Amino acid sequence: QARFPERYLTLPLLKKLLRRVLVAPLPTLSHLESLLPNLEKAILEHDVRGIVIDNIALLAKTEYPPAETVKRQGVLGEVASHLKRVACAYRIPVVIVNQATSVREGSYGANGSDIGVMRVKARQGMDDCSAALGPKWAHYINTRISLVYKGAEGAGVLNLVKSPFAPEMTLAFTSAKGGLYEVGDEFDGRAVEGRGAELERHRGVLQYL
C-alpha cells in the first residue's frame, strides 16, 4: 500500500489484493517437493502471476545434515528443474530466497578455485561471503541478486551477480515501507562500482524488487 498508494487507497482494495496471495507453509524441503506435482493446477485455477519461496537454504539444511549432502543436492536439483520448467511454460517469475555463508580463501572448490557466480565479497572489512547450497545450486539459478545491508536505516548495496541479459553491476539502495529504492551515485562517499553509460538502461532493476 505504501509503494502503490494510487492503486490501494482503500482497505477493501487492499483486502482484495491480499485474497490473491496464496500461502503454503513449508516445514521441509521434501514437503516442497511433494507440492510440485500440483503446482501447475494451482497456477491455472488461481491465475498465479509469481512464486516466492523463502527460505530454500533453511529448508534444505534443516532436513539434511552435512553427511547427506549428496541426497540433498539431488532433491534440490529436482525442485529447481520443476520450477524452471513451470516458469518457462507459464512465463511467471520464480523468486527463491537463499542465505549467505562465510567462506575461507581457497575453499571454493576441489582445486581451491574461486567460483565467480557464487562469491560476493562483503564490504567494510567483513569476511567473504558465498551463497549457500554450493556451486551446483548456483548453476540452477538464472539470475542472482545479493543484498548487503549496511545496518544504517535500511541502507545497503545490491549486487547483480549473475544474469542472462544484464552485465554485473552494483547499486546503492535504501529500504522503506514501499520497498527498495535506488539512492544517488555516491554511497558513503564512495562511487558506486559498475556504473557506466552502458549500464544506464539497467538502472531500473530495483523497480522489480
Side-chain angles (χ1 to χ4, degrees), residues 17-133:
L17 168 67
L18 294 177
R19 283 196 296 267
R20 298 185 60 186
V21 178
L22 306 177
V23 179
L26 299 173
T28 63
L29 184 62
S30 297
H31 183 72
L32 170 60
E33 186 182 27
S34 70
L35 296 179
L36 295 180
N38 296 319
L39 181 58
E40 293 185 67
K41 180 181 178 182
I43 291 173
L44 294 173
E45 287 183 351
H46 301 282
D47 191 23
V48 173
R49 302 298 180 88
I51 299 171
V52 178
I53 298 175
D54 183 10
N55 166 313
I56 191 71
L58 181 62
L59 294 178
K61 291 185 174 183
T62 299
E63 183 174 2
Y64 295 99
E68 297 183 5
T69 298
V70 174
K71 182 179 180 180
R72 182 190 74 187
Q73 295 301 95
V75 176
L76 285 170
E78 292 294 326
V79 169
S81 297
H82 195 109
L83 291 174
K84 291 183 73 169
R85 181 175 61 80
V86 168
C88 292
Y90 296 95
R91 300 182 64 84
I92 59 176
V94 177
V95 179
I96 300 179
V97 179
N98 197 0
Q99 296 176 180
T101 58
S102 298
V103 295
R104 299 188 306 273
E105 290 293 339
S107 63
Y108 303 103
N111 299 321
S113 59
D114 184 354
I115 302 171
V117 296
M118 288 293 296
R119 187 168 177 262
V120 180
K121 185 172 179 56
R123 305 181 188 280
Q124 301 297 328
M126 295 173 63
D127 294 334
D128 285 356
C129 294
S130 170
L133 303 180

Side-chain angles (χ1 to χ4, degrees), residues 185-192:
D185 287 350
E186 295 294 322
F187 188 63
D188 284 353
R190 171 175 45 81
V192 176

